[in-house]
Amino acid sequence: MAKVLLLAGDFVEDLEIYVPFQGLQIVGVQVDAVCPGKKPGDSIKTSVHDFEGDQTYTEKRGHNFAINADFDKALGELDSYDGLVIPGGRAPEYLRLNPKIIKVVRHFMDRKAPVAAICHGIQVLAAADVLKSRELTCYPACAPEVGLCGGKYSEVDVTEAVVDGNLITSPAWPGHSKWLAAFLKALGYSWSRA
């Protein structure tokens, strides 16, 4: 059974935390959702981003999400995790300012462990300076950050995912199925369709 770490914070995108958290558990992956300053049982607020014909996405208050693991404890056990998930939403814009979050990201990237980032989650990767010469996708408004960090932004349909070695990315929640399938494959899961 694989064990993955999921980075969370207030106003993470609702679907981008709930779908990987629950979807990975469906196939037996242990998912430890952590947040700096929060303990197991504490809740964070989520936001719902949607595409409703405006020049950018709309944002509404989402559900509360319960943290199920201790951030500081996880920091001391990073080698026990097989992969890392970084959801999007508003949380990445301030999580990337936390030196411990940067340490976590660099640890997984240095190990070449599977790292799945979606939407604005790449802001954390950019802050950790791990995108040089990597091909990835993200929410288009974050594309300039990819280029400024020496990465190659891949413009794909919102339902797609981009895989570059251990790095699995998608523009936004409509890409969950391909993003999570690629992450599971990177974790060593395989299945056949009947």
Side-chain angles (χ1 to χ4, degrees), residues 26-153:
I26 288 170
V27 296
V29 176
Q30 178 181 327
V31 183
D32 286 359
V34 297
C35 177
K38 300 276 187 174
K39 300 292 181 197
D42 290 347
S43 289
I44 58 171
K45 297 172 183 165
T46 71
S47 60
V48 174
H49 292 166
D50 207 352
F51 308 101
E52 300 177 303
D54 301 296
Q55 291 179 322
T56 188
Y57 57 85
T58 58
E59 183 174 75
K60 300 167 187 71
R61 173 72 162 85
H63 299 89
N64 288 335
F65 177 87
I67 298 302
N68 72 340
D70 184 85
F71 179 75
D72 292 325
K73 183 178 179 203
L75 274 178
E77 303 173 350
L78 291 178
D79 284 332
S80 72
Y81 291 97
D82 301 299
L84 177 67
V85 177
I86 309 172
R90 300 295 298 278
E93 71 187 29
Y94 66 85
L95 286 176
R96 65 184 168 172
L97 303 176
N98 185 318
K100 292 179 180 178
I101 292 287
I102 299 305
K103 176 184 174 183
V104 168
V105 171
R106 288 182 178 159
H107 178 87
F108 283 92
M109 292 298 285
D110 288 346
R111 277 180 42 209
K112 296 186 178 14
V115 174
I118 192 164
C119 200
H120 287 73
I122 68 95
Q123 291 179 312
V124 177
L125 297 171
D129 194 24
V130 296
L131 297 181
K132 188 171 184 171
S133 301
R134 302 303 297 262
E135 182 177 353
L136 64 145
T137 193
C138 57
Y139 188 69
C142 298
E145 292 175 61
V146 174
L148 289 169
C149 293
K152 180 181 182 266
Y153 171 68

